[in-house]
Amino acid sequence: MSPATSVSAFLGVERSVTGRRWRARLADDRAALMLAQTLGVPEIVARLLVSRGVGADAAGGFLNPRLRDLLPDPARFRDMDRAVARLVTAIRGGERIAVFRDYDVDGATSAALLHRFFAAAGLPLRLYIPDRLTEGYGPNEAALRRLQAEGIAVVITVDCGITAFAPLAAAAAAGLDVIVVDHHVAEPRLPPATAVINPNRLDEAPGHGQLAAVGVAFLLVVGLNRALRQAGFYGPLRPEPELLQWLDLVALGTICDVVPLTGLNRALVAQGLKVMARRANPGLAALADVAGISERLGTYHAGFVLGPRVNAGGRVGAADLGARLLSTDDPAEAAAIAARLDLLNGERRAIEKAVLDAAIAQIEAGPPPSGALIMAAAPGWHPGVIGIVASRLKERYGRPACVVAIDAAGLGKGSGRSVPGLDLGSAVIAARQAGLLIIGGGHPMAAGFTVAADRLAELTAFLGQRLDGTGGGPPRPVLDLDGALAAGGASPDLIGRLQQLAPFGSGNAEPRFAIADARLVEASVVGDGHVRCVLVGADDRRLKAIAFRSLEGALGPALLKAGGAAWHLAGHLRLETWQGSERVQLLIDDAAPAGQGSPAGGPA
């Protein structure tokens, strides 16, 4: 591999077929060499560490993240002791406890984690999942009052609640104790609750704001378990549970919520993937089986195979399926739920495609977006897929995107996804504070809201101006690469070395390389809009490649028309096992004709 050392466009690609400028992740050669010698790691590993800002002091912990080094004392978080004390009182007094969760993977894993902990301690726990269509996001007064009428004394909200001011005020007035476990951006004013545990509280000590809700829930479990031990709750007839057995749930929720895989998150995911590989959770094992996964489960499977299926229930089916799947110990029940989620995921993809096609048509029929924000809205769109469609639009246009589904009553349920450097969550909270939204919140990379349809134009202008003001106008789409690679250099040995930097995700990008001056000798459409290729590199070595969902944009058609011309192809490397043998495949993210400009880095 020979990385670029110039600030010029990598391989001379100023504008790829997807409209992006290719940019090299620069690494200091001397620093990389010194790091390789100090750590005893291959130079490619050291170079990638340096390009990601990992210095010599942090490199050892980065390559071998350990929970015992990174897990904080739960008591350091505000209101944690208060929450633990209230739950211990409820447990010892036989009071009933419920969990009110969001319907995405982070919420499902948080709820399943709490359910498994309470079950292991011999305690019943009521799970409540709101219906996306009839109840919307977050706690609502009617649901909280129903839980109280059932005899529930304490409600734990997970992955929601930080901006539920009115519902929680009503709950407090009715005498229902609520513990908020959330990670979304908080306002200076907190909701009235027994306890509010959120690393993104403005009065919270910094250092753990990147946690997903399931990470915060795990810290609550650690603190509660310790308090129960100290209270003499455990004994020969009620053994203390082993908390690390549930890190597979923590890893799944953390990966799927696309929070940075740095610091504590990195340790939680690294250890959680080891647990996940054992397939001890019947629900995850059944889901892997129905998805046809035979290899060791990793971040790719969690984020792109398992996660979407867990999500499918909350998006287009029964909202409780994901948490039920992850909570059950019955293999037969797990298999049945997994099969149903797999079917619902197919329905979700069809609905998603219809909404995405309509959103793209709407955007491209209008004037070109002049600001940082893409906004699409229409009646009849399914609110269960708007978050995924917003993500697709963000990828397509390289800027924050919001999608709004308008119902018959004239209310729009919106979801947005952002790009690094533009804080969409704060912009949505500001819009709610300005009176433009009925409800709204989120974090820098994602947000949700409800808006009156007649205020959509105002909202679009407000969010666009807010994002333009914080980010200096619309971002220029870029694709970051770690270097150029010969086709013959894409080997199982290289992938093995790259895995030393895993787990990959937000905050620790999976290495991306360009195969320079390659000829596509085969290209065909397979599956649901994928383009499969065989390329021959400048070293005359062949490499198989695939571009997923590429017929939706410019990439797939360009690959199909490439013919025998030389192209630069950018993407990630995957190792596949086929009939006992290993082979490498390139997952193509982007492409550009090789004659665009002077290369900024050549193949090894």
Side-chain angles (χ1 to χ4, degrees), residues 172-197:
L176 179 64
D177 288 338
V178 177
I179 295 169
V180 174
V181 177
D182 205 350
H183 72 126
H184 293 101
V185 176
E187 301 183 28
R189 176 172 66 110
L190 294 174
T194 301
V196 178
I197 308 169

mmCIF file of all heavy atoms in Angstrom, residues 172-197:
data_model
loop_
_atom_site.group_PDB
_atom_site.id
_atom_site.type_symbol
_atom_site.label_atom_id
_atom_site.label_comp_id
_atom_site.label_asym_id
_atom_site.label_seq_id
_atom_site.Cartn_x
_atom_site.Cartn_y
_atom_site.Cartn_z
ATOM 1 N N ALA A 172 -45.623 12.295 37.274
ATOM 2 C CA ALA A 172 -45.215 12.718 38.615
ATOM 3 C C ALA A 172 -46.420 13.186 39.426
ATOM 4 O O ALA A 172 -46.542 12.862 40.616
ATOM 5 C CB ALA A 172 -44.165 13.818 38.511
ATOM 6 N N ALA A 173 -47.330 13.928 38.805
ATOM 7 C CA ALA A 173 -48.517 14.410 39.504
ATOM 8 C C ALA A 173 -49.405 13.259 39.942
ATOM 9 O O ALA A 173 -50.105 13.352 40.969
ATOM 10 C CB ALA A 173 -49.283 15.371 38.599
ATOM 11 N N ALA A 174 -49.385 12.155 39.162
ATOM 12 C CA ALA A 174 -50.209 11.000 39.494
ATOM 13 C C ALA A 174 -49.531 10.067 40.494
ATOM 14 O O ALA A 174 -50.115 9.064 40.893
ATOM 15 C CB ALA A 174 -50.549 10.237 38.215
ATOM 16 N N GLY A 175 -48.290 10.369 40.870
ATOM 17 C CA GLY A 175 -47.588 9.542 41.840
ATOM 18 C C GLY A 175 -46.829 8.377 41.249
ATOM 19 O O GLY A 175 -46.424 7.464 41.981
ATOM 20 N N LEU A 176 -46.603 8.387 39.933
ATOM 21 C CA LEU A 176 -45.834 7.327 39.276
ATOM 22 C C LEU A 176 -44.376 7.745 39.194
ATOM 23 O O LEU A 176 -44.056 8.819 38.665
ATOM 24 C CB LEU A 176 -46.391 7.069 37.868
ATOM 25 C CG LEU A 176 -45.692 5.998 37.029
ATOM 26 C CD1 LEU A 176 -45.845 4.622 37.668
ATOM 27 C CD2 LEU A 176 -46.257 5.994 35.599
ATOM 28 N N ASP A 177 -43.477 6.923 39.699
ATOM 29 C CA ASP A 177 -42.048 7.235 39.660
ATOM 30 C C ASP A 177 -41.461 6.806 38.312
ATOM 31 O O ASP A 177 -41.659 5.665 37.876
ATOM 32 C CB ASP A 177 -41.309 6.518 40.791
ATOM 33 C CG ASP A 177 -41.615 7.114 42.150
ATOM 34 O OD1 ASP A 177 -42.030 8.290 42.202
ATOM 35 O OD2 ASP A 177 -41.457 6.408 43.164
ATOM 36 N N VAL A 178 -40.743 7.716 37.678
ATOM 37 C CA VAL A 178 -40.137 7.443 36.372
ATOM 38 C C VAL A 178 -38.634 7.670 36.461
ATOM 39 O O VAL A 178 -38.178 8.693 36.987
ATOM 40 C CB VAL A 178 -40.739 8.334 35.269
ATOM 41 C CG1 VAL A 178 -40.035 8.070 33.934
ATOM 42 C CG2 VAL A 178 -42.240 8.093 35.134
ATOM 43 N N ILE A 179 -37.881 6.706 35.947
ATOM 44 C CA ILE A 179 -36.427 6.814 35.836
ATOM 45 C C ILE A 179 -36.093 6.886 34.356
ATOM 46 O O ILE A 179 -36.406 5.974 33.593
ATOM 47 C CB ILE A 179 -35.735 5.605 36.482
ATOM 48 C CG1 ILE A 179 -36.008 5.585 37.993
ATOM 49 C CG2 ILE A 179 -34.233 5.623 36.202
ATOM 50 C CD1 ILE A 179 -35.579 4.296 38.670
ATOM 51 N N VAL A 180 -35.495 7.972 33.930
ATOM 52 C CA VAL A 180 -35.146 8.178 32.521
ATOM 53 C C VAL A 180 -33.731 7.671 32.281
ATOM 54 O O VAL A 180 -32.782 8.108 32.953
ATOM 55 C CB VAL A 180 -35.253 9.668 32.136
ATOM 56 C CG1 VAL A 180 -34.754 9.892 30.705
ATOM 57 C CG2 VAL A 180 -36.687 10.165 32.281
ATOM 58 N N VAL A 181 -33.581 6.751 31.338
ATOM 59 C CA VAL A 181 -32.269 6.253 30.907
ATOM 60 C C VAL A 181 -32.156 6.575 29.423
ATOM 61 O O VAL A 181 -32.771 5.916 28.585
ATOM 62 C CB VAL A 181 -32.133 4.735 31.155
ATOM 63 C CG1 VAL A 181 -30.791 4.219 30.635
ATOM 64 C CG2 VAL A 181 -32.287 4.430 32.635
ATOM 65 N N ASP A 182 -31.402 7.593 29.088
ATOM 66 C CA ASP A 182 -31.380 8.102 27.713
ATOM 67 C C ASP A 182 -29.970 8.565 27.372
ATOM 68 O O ASP A 182 -29.092 8.640 28.247
ATOM 69 C CB ASP A 182 -32.383 9.264 27.587
ATOM 70 C CG ASP A 182 -32.887 9.474 26.159
ATOM 71 O OD1 ASP A 182 -32.326 8.855 25.225
ATOM 72 O OD2 ASP A 182 -33.835 10.263 25.981
ATOM 73 N N HIS A 183 -29.762 8.876 26.095
ATOM 74 C CA HIS A 183 -28.463 9.400 25.667
ATOM 75 C C HIS A 183 -28.615 10.533 24.670
ATOM 76 O O HIS A 183 -27.612 11.083 24.203
ATOM 77 C CB HIS A 183 -27.612 8.282 25.051
ATOM 78 C CG HIS A 183 -28.096 7.835 23.689
ATOM 79 N ND1 HIS A 183 -27.272 7.804 22.587
ATOM 80 C CD2 HIS A 183 -29.307 7.419 23.259
ATOM 81 C CE1 HIS A 183 -27.960 7.366 21.543
ATOM 82 N NE2 HIS A 183 -29.190 7.115 21.923
ATOM 83 N N HIS A 184 -29.841 10.890 24.338
ATOM 84 C CA HIS A 184 -30.065 11.966 23.381
ATOM 85 C C HIS A 184 -29.722 13.325 24.000
ATOM 86 O O HIS A 184 -29.647 13.461 25.225
ATOM 87 C CB HIS A 184 -31.513 11.947 22.896
ATOM 88 C CG HIS A 184 -31.837 10.744 22.074
ATOM 89 N ND1 HIS A 184 -32.509 9.649 22.580
ATOM 90 C CD2 HIS A 184 -31.545 10.431 20.782
ATOM 91 C CE1 HIS A 184 -32.631 8.730 21.633
ATOM 92 N NE2 HIS A 184 -32.054 9.181 20.534
ATOM 93 N N VAL A 185 -29.521 14.302 23.142
ATOM 94 C CA VAL A 185 -29.115 15.636 23.601
ATOM 95 C C VAL A 185 -30.146 16.186 24.566
ATOM 96 O O VAL A 185 -31.347 16.177 24.297
ATOM 97 C CB VAL A 185 -28.944 16.582 22.404
ATOM 98 C CG1 VAL A 185 -28.617 17.992 22.886
ATOM 99 C CG2 VAL A 185 -27.837 16.067 21.479
ATOM 100 N N ALA A 186 -29.672 16.656 25.709
ATOM 101 C CA ALA A 186 -30.553 17.195 26.740
ATOM 102 C C ALA A 186 -30.598 18.719 26.654
ATOM 103 O O ALA A 186 -29.698 19.365 26.102
ATOM 104 C CB ALA A 186 -30.082 16.767 28.124
ATOM 105 N N GLU A 187 -31.645 19.272 27.214
ATOM 106 C CA GLU A 187 -31.783 20.713 27.324
ATOM 107 C C GLU A 187 -31.373 21.146 28.731
ATOM 108 O O GLU A 187 -31.238 20.309 29.628
ATOM 109 C CB GLU A 187 -33.230 21.113 27.045
ATOM 110 C CG GLU A 187 -33.718 20.703 25.664
ATOM 111 C CD GLU A 187 -35.131 21.185 25.393
ATOM 112 O OE1 GLU A 187 -35.537 22.222 25.961
ATOM 113 O OE2 GLU A 187 -35.837 20.519 24.616
ATOM 114 N N PRO A 188 -31.192 22.460 28.954
ATOM 115 C CA PRO A 188 -30.885 22.903 30.318
ATOM 116 C C PRO A 188 -31.961 22.475 31.316
ATOM 117 O O PRO A 188 -31.648 22.110 32.455
ATOM 118 C CB PRO A 188 -30.822 24.426 30.178
ATOM 119 C CG PRO A 188 -30.441 24.658 28.744
ATOM 120 C CD PRO A 188 -31.113 23.558 27.979
ATOM 121 N N ARG A 189 -33.206 22.501 30.895
ATOM 122 C CA ARG A 189 -34.292 22.039 31.748
ATOM 123 C C ARG A 189 -34.442 20.534 31.560
ATOM 124 O O ARG A 189 -34.489 20.042 30.435
ATOM 125 C CB ARG A 189 -35.586 22.762 31.351
ATOM 126 C CG ARG A 189 -36.819 22.296 32.122
ATOM 127 C CD ARG A 189 -38.006 23.203 31.817
ATOM 128 N NE ARG A 189 -38.442 23.106 30.441
ATOM 129 C CZ ARG A 189 -39.596 22.533 30.063
ATOM 130 N NH1 ARG A 189 -40.404 22.013 30.962
ATOM 131 N NH2 ARG A 189 -39.939 22.501 28.790
ATOM 132 N N LEU A 190 -34.539 19.804 32.654
ATOM 133 C CA LEU A 190 -34.725 18.364 32.601
ATOM 134 C C LEU A 190 -36.172 18.016 32.899
ATOM 135 O O LEU A 190 -36.858 18.751 33.624
ATOM 136 C CB LEU A 190 -33.814 17.671 33.614
ATOM 137 C CG LEU A 190 -32.313 17.791 33.354
ATOM 138 C CD1 LEU A 190 -31.530 17.187 34.506
ATOM 139 C CD2 LEU A 190 -31.922 17.132 32.033
ATOM 140 N N PRO A 191 -36.659 16.889 32.368
ATOM 141 C CA PRO A 191 -38.035 16.495 32.659
ATOM 142 C C PRO A 191 -38.195 16.134 34.134
ATOM 143 O O PRO A 191 -37.251 15.646 34.764
ATOM 144 C CB PRO A 191 -38.249 15.276 31.751
ATOM 145 C CG PRO A 191 -36.871 14.726 31.536
ATOM 146 C CD PRO A 191 -35.966 15.917 31.503
ATOM 147 N N PRO A 192 -39.383 16.365 34.701
ATOM 148 C CA PRO A 192 -39.605 16.008 36.109
ATOM 149 C C PRO A 192 -39.676 14.495 36.273
ATOM 150 O O PRO A 192 -40.593 13.851 35.768
ATOM 151 C CB PRO A 192 -40.954 16.668 36.426
ATOM 152 C CG PRO A 192 -41.649 16.766 35.104
ATOM 153 C CD PRO A 192 -40.571 16.966 34.085
ATOM 154 N N ALA A 193 -38.678 13.925 36.927
ATOM 155 C CA ALA A 193 -38.595 12.477 37.071
ATOM 156 C C ALA A 193 -37.879 12.148 38.366
ATOM 157 O O ALA A 193 -37.174 12.989 38.944
ATOM 158 C CB ALA A 193 -37.864 11.860 35.884
ATOM 159 N N THR A 194 -38.033 10.924 38.814
ATOM 160 C CA THR A 194 -37.325 10.465 40.003
ATOM 161 C C THR A 194 -35.819 10.521 39.788
ATOM 162 O O THR A 194 -35.059 10.881 40.687
ATOM 163 C CB THR A 194 -37.759 9.026 40.346
ATOM 164 O OG1 THR A 194 -39.171 9.017 40.575
ATOM 165 C CG2 THR A 194 -37.025 8.510 41.560
ATOM 166 N N ALA A 195 -35.385 10.162 38.580
ATOM 167 C CA ALA A 195 -33.964 10.214 38.227
ATOM 168 C C ALA A 195 -33.850 10.366 36.716
ATOM 169 O O ALA A 195 -34.665 9.819 35.971
ATOM 170 C CB ALA A 195 -33.235 8.958 38.696
ATOM 171 N N VAL A 196 -32.847 11.105 36.294
ATOM 172 C CA VAL A 196 -32.558 11.278 34.868
ATOM 173 C C VAL A 196 -31.099 10.924 34.659
ATOM 174 O O VAL A 196 -30.199 11.695 35.025
ATOM 175 C CB VAL A 196 -32.838 12.720 34.391
ATOM 176 C CG1 VAL A 196 -32.467 12.856 32.916
ATOM 177 C CG2 VAL A 196 -34.297 13.100 34.617
ATOM 178 N N ILE A 197 -30.856 9.740 34.088
ATOM 179 C CA ILE A 197 -29.490 9.278 33.819
ATOM 180 C C ILE A 197 -29.221 9.470 32.337
ATOM 181 O O ILE A 197 -29.841 8.820 31.491
ATOM 182 C CB ILE A 197 -29.311 7.799 34.194
ATOM 183 C CG1 ILE A 197 -29.791 7.535 35.627
ATOM 184 C CG2 ILE A 197 -27.856 7.383 34.036
ATOM 185 C CD1 ILE A 197 -29.883 6.059 35.968
#
